[in-house]
Amino acid sequence: MKSTFLKSLISVFVIFVIVIAAFLIVLAGRVRNTLITQFTENLKNLTVVSEPTCITLMKNGRAGETQSSIVSMGKALGIRVTLIDSTGLVLADSEHDPGTMENHLNRPEIREARGRGFGQSMRYSHTLDTDFLYVAKRLVDSQPVGYVRFSMPLTVIQTFTKDIRKWIFIAGMILLFLAAAIVYFYSLYLRKPLRDIRGFTRELTAGNLNARLLKPVKGDVAEIYKDLNRMAEKLKDSFTFISEERDILTGVLSAMVDGVCVVDTDLKIINSNESFKKMFFLAEDPLNKDIWDVIQLVSFLELVNKCKTDKSHKTTDLAMGERGTIYQVSSFHIPSFDGWAFVFADVTKARNLERIKADFITNLSHELRTPLTAIKGYLETLEDPGISLTERNRFLRIVRDNTDRLANIVSDLLTLSDLERVERAIEHDRFDLNDLADDVISLFSKEAKNKNLRLEFTSRRIPEFVGDRFMMQQMLINLVSNGIRFTETGEVKLEIDVEKDQFYVRVSDTGIGIPEDEIPRIFERFYTVDKARSRAHGGTGLGLAIVKHIVGAHGGKVEVESELESGSKFTVILPVLTD
Ligand code: ADP
């Protein structure tokens, strides 16, 4: 900015100098011409005035007298006077000896005077080594008798012109200096608001939106100051609004459980939230990354390809490989920049629940249909009057067994639904778990004995348990009955202990074990590893689902360790409640 300003200042100076120089040259020329004209006029007048004297001198014809008169005339007038006869012979000269002077008839002023009465000329005089102005007049005494010539050196004019030039130059310089000073101070005056505005815009650019032009100025600049201040105010308002909006958006995005990722038209990520980073295990912000570098799933690729051709809202499920997580991704087109927002919701639980629900209905129908088919079939057989009494009794027993099974299923289902009811609060009974365990062991001692199994309970000193006595009994029954049912040889052990403020209820057996990949599913309703075997033992597939609910209602958890053909160990960990 400084150099631009200096350049313009120098340009103004140069223009000034050129104008003044031109002015000086023209003025000096005009002054010189005016002076020459004036001198010529004066010399002309002198020739006219001196004409009678000159004619008289010529008439007298005494050369010496004429010469001295001309010399004194020249002295008196301060100029050179020359008297020339009509043949061009110099009769007298106020500054030279006429005898040494050549014929003057061809001098331009004499030639001109011969024809027009007056003649003038301006030329360089070798004799006096200077420019001379010559004015001659034809002397007429009834007829032309000669010429009188007045001349003066132009040094007078030159000195005069030089003086004038000098003074004009000095005046010009003063003028120039004044002009420069005016330009300089005016420019300083003009630059001040510019400097203020520059400082102001720098402040704004640096992010200080509170910067304002405060200095009171008048006129147009004041209006510009006002406008700029208004502009800064608006900028600040817009900035505040935008940053508030952005804060809200960031807040909402980071508070969202769902992952959100916004991409531009080139599918580069321009915004994403924490949940998105967690879902796709990103250590750093994926800003500006290609979406393909972050999500490399075929189903996602298909969704994005569809989005490109059809901008309507779309949804698809993404199965996250071996982790078993399922994300439902929804696409939303953003028309303002032709980008997309992708919202990822973890629907693993929902999908599993849907599957469990569907399985449950299929299993329930199947579980109910099997005994009902048996009952129906045997009842039809029983209608035949020809069957023997032994057969009748056998069929009736089968019908009763299947009815019992139906009753068991219904009873287990009722227990389950009772446990699942949200409003069902657990009782806070105080009791000794050892007593409860003793009861359960006695309940199954006969069954264990029949199968030739050792049924053991290791009792330890434990604090009173606070919880639902009925539920705890149900839990122990289910676990111990499973142990006995799925064990052919060996033992079933029940241990209750307290470690680190937690109850540990362990039911272990030396039975058939559970395949490792089935372990996560055995707590599902109706899930049985081996249907035929379970049913043969009177199992409904609901026992462990009930156990899981009871443990969950008491704020605990169940862990399973099992090895095929070696046995299983169910560990229920329950918190010690104070009341
Ligand atoms: P069920 O009425 O069939 O026993 P549960 O819900 O109690 O139903 O158990 C589900 C399945 O888990 C059983 O069918 C069985 O395959 C397996 N299971 C449960 N406990 C044991 C165990 N102690 N040993 C081996 N398998 C077991």
Side-chain angles (χ1 to χ4, degrees):
M1 178 179 165
K2 207 166 187 172
S3 63
T4 322
F5 175 74
L6 269 179
K7 271 184 205 161
S8 19
L9 199 65
I10 289 165
S11 312
V12 171
F13 271 141
V14 169
I15 292 167
F16 254 103
V17 169
I18 291 170
V19 168
I20 287 172
F23 173 74
L24 283 177
I25 291 162
V26 171
L27 191 69
R30 284 195 75 86
V31 167
R32 189 171 180 274
N33 288 343
T34 310
L35 281 174
I36 289 170
T37 313
Q38 192 57 50
F39 279 127
T40 310
E41 207 53 43
N42 287 348
L43 291 181
K44 227 178 186 178
N45 291 339
L46 281 176
T47 56
V48 173
V49 172
S50 65
E51 186 177 12
T53 314
C54 290
I55 291 171
T56 312
L57 283 172
M58 286 182 89
K59 270 188 186 166
N60 288 344
R62 282 190 298 271
E65 206 174 303
T66 309
Q67 174 66 14
S68 63
S69 297
I70 290 299
V71 167
S72 39
M73 188 192 287
K75 272 193 184 139
L77 294 172
I79 50 175
R80 183 181 170 194
V81 185
T82 312
L83 197 61
I84 301 153
D85 73 4
S86 49
T87 63
L89 181 76
V90 179
L91 300 174
D93 189 287
S94 63
E95 287 174 16
H96 293 280
D97 178 6
T100 61
M101 292 172 72
E102 58 188 35
N103 189 293
H104 272 44
L105 198 64
N106 279 330
R107 292 285 194 275
E109 66 278 4
I110 301 298
R111 274 212 314 271
E112 198 187 338
R114 190 167 1 128
R116 295 167 54 185
F118 281 105
Q120 74 176 77
S121 159
M122 209 166 54
R123 66 179 174 276
Y124 183 70
S125 160
H126 293 283
T127 326
L128 289 175
D129 188 25
T130 182
D131 275 341
F132 267 79
L133 174 67
Y134 299 91
V135 173
K137 181 177 182 345
R138 195 176 55 194
L139 300 172
V140 181
D141 184 25
S142 68
Q143 60 171 356
V145 288
Y147 306 93
V148 63
R149 185 184 77 173
F150 285 84
S151 65
M152 59 184 293
L154 273 183
T155 42
V156 182
I157 298 171
Q158 275 162 1
T159 315
F160 192 67
T161 315
K162 263 187 198 161
D163 271 2
I164 286 178
R165 272 191 193 151
K166 196 171 87 189
W167 283 113
I168 289 175
F169 179 74
I170 290 168
M173 285 314 287
I174 292 170
L175 209 77
L176 191 67
F177 178 75
L178 274 178
I182 290 168
V183 167
Y184 178 72
F185 286 112
Y186 190 63
S187 69
L188 273 190
Y189 168 74
L190 278 185
R191 276 185 74 193
K192 197 181 160 348
L194 284 179
R195 270 206 306 270
D196 285 355
I197 292 169
R198 185 75 205 269
F200 167 75
T201 50
R202 273 197 185 147
E203 285 273 307
L204 285 185
T205 320
N208 178 13
L209 295 179
N210 291 319
R212 294 290 177 275
L213 287 159
L214 295 173
K215 310 277 164 54
V217 262
K218 288 175 189 160
D220 289 347
V221 180
E223 285 307 306
I224 293 171
Y225 271 35
K226 261 194 228 158
D227 287 348
L228 285 172
N229 280 340
R230 264 201 295 271
M231 188 193 79
E233 198 63 48
K234 284 212 161 164
L235 202 67
K236 189 183 162 192
D237 288 352
S238 310
F239 191 80
T240 315
F241 177 73
I242 290 168
S243 46
E244 274 172 12
E245 289 284 300
R246 199 195 49 205
D247 287 352
I248 292 170
L249 183 73
T250 314
V252 170
L253 280 181
S254 53
M256 274 176 79
V257 181
D258 293 347
V260 178
C261 166
V262 183
V263 295
D264 64 12
T265 191
D266 298 324
L267 301 175
K268 290 239 180 305
I269 297 173
I270 52 173
N271 203 349
S272 64
N273 67 352
E274 272 305 307
S275 302
F276 177 77
K277 281 205 279 174
K278 276 190 201 138
M279 281 174 170
F280 294 96
F281 304 98
L282 306 174
E284 52 192 44
D285 197 330
L287 190 70
N288 290 331
K289 274 196 179 167
D290 205 296
I291 189 85
W292 305 125
D293 294 342
V294 178
I295 308 170
Q296 289 144 352
L297 294 171
V298 181
S299 38
F300 185 66
L301 175 88
E302 283 166 1
L303 174 87
V304 175
N305 282 339
K306 267 191 227 155
C307 284
K308 277 185 178 167
T309 47
D310 171 11
K311 287 172 178 166
S312 62
H313 166 66
K314 279 175 205 56
T315 304
T316 192
D317 275 8
L318 301 182
M320 297 292 289
E322 283 161 17
R323 274 177 283 131
T325 317
I326 301 166
Y327 291 138
Q328 186 189 60
V329 53
S330 306
S331 71
F332 300 90
H333 181 244
I334 306 169
S336 55
F337 57 91
D338 195 25
W340 284 271
F342 296 108
V343 181
F344 300 81
D346 188 343
V347 290
T348 318
K349 270 191 191 159
R351 293 289 179 271
N352 284 344
L353 271 177
E354 281 165 18
R355 185 179 52 75
I356 290 168
K357 209 166 139 191
D359 286 357
F360 172 72
I361 292 169
T362 317
N363 290 336
L364 178 63
S365 330
H366 185 74
E367 293 298 324
L368 293 177
R369 200 181 55 202
T370 315
L372 279 174
T373 313
I375 292 165
K376 192 170 172 260
Y378 285 108
L379 282 179
E380 277 168 8
T381 321
L382 279 169
E383 279 171 3
D384 180 359
I387 56 165
S388 69
L389 191 64
T390 328
E391 269 181 324
R392 176 181 289 267
N393 285 341
R394 193 166 67 85
F395 292 163
L396 276 175
R397 206 185 61 244
I398 294 171
V399 168
R400 197 181 53 239
D401 284 352
N402 277 291
T403 317
D404 283 349
R405 181 164 172 71
L406 278 179
N408 280 346
I409 293 173
V410 172
S411 143
D412 276 356
L413 277 175
L414 281 175
T415 311
L416 247 185
S417 77
D418 187 38
L419 289 169
E420 277 181 347
R421 279 214 325 266
V422 184
E423 65 268 24
R424 168 107 165 62
I426 58 162
E427 297 294 333
H428 280 62
D429 307 319
R430 286 183 163 274
F431 56 94
D432 190 346
L433 268 179
N434 284 331
D435 295 346
L436 211 61
D438 278 336
D439 293 349
V440 174
I441 294 294
S442 336
L443 194 70
F444 288 101
S445 58
K446 196 173 165 215
E447 202 176 328
K449 209 173 178 184
N450 288 346
K451 286 186 83 175
N452 228 352
L453 296 174
R454 274 194 314 282
L455 179 61
E456 277 180 17
F457 167 52
T458 319
S459 142
R460 295 204 174 87
R461 273 177 65 85
I462 50 167
E464 267 193 328
F465 183 79
V466 179
D468 196 306
R469 190 186 164 90
F470 172 78
M471 283 191 189
M472 280 298 131
Q473 192 177 35
Q474 180 87 45
M475 179 191 87
L476 289 177
I477 289 171
N478 287 2
L479 290 174
V480 173
S481 81
N482 275 355
I484 293 170
R485 276 195 290 133
F486 297 103
T487 306
E488 296 312 320
T489 54
E491 59 178 8
V492 175
K493 275 202 304 193
L494 172 62
E495 280 174 81
I496 302 179
D497 207 353
V498 170
E499 291 165 27
K500 290 182 191 161
D501 281 349
Q502 282 180 316
F503 283 99
Y504 282 78
V505 179
R506 296 187 183 93
V507 181
S508 53
D509 61 58
T510 52
I512 58 167
I514 308 159
E516 204 185 331
D517 54 329
E518 308 260 6
I519 291 176
R521 300 203 62 192
I522 56 174
F523 292 96
E524 290 175 17
R525 283 172 247 193
F526 295 118
Y527 192 83
T528 51
V529 175
D530 179 346
K531 277 224 169 334
R533 185 176 185 136
S534 170
R535 215 170 288 145
H537 289 91
T540 58
L542 294 168
L544 287 181
I546 292 170
V547 168
K548 192 181 162 194
H549 269 286
I550 291 173
V551 174
H554 282 82
K557 60 176 179 177
V558 196
E559 286 172 1
V560 186
E561 295 161 59
S562 187
E563 206 174 311
L564 278 176
E565 308 305 334
S566 293
S568 312
K569 185 173 172 183
F570 286 78
T571 308
V572 174
I573 306 163
L574 295 161
V576 175
L577 299 178
T578 44
D579 77 271

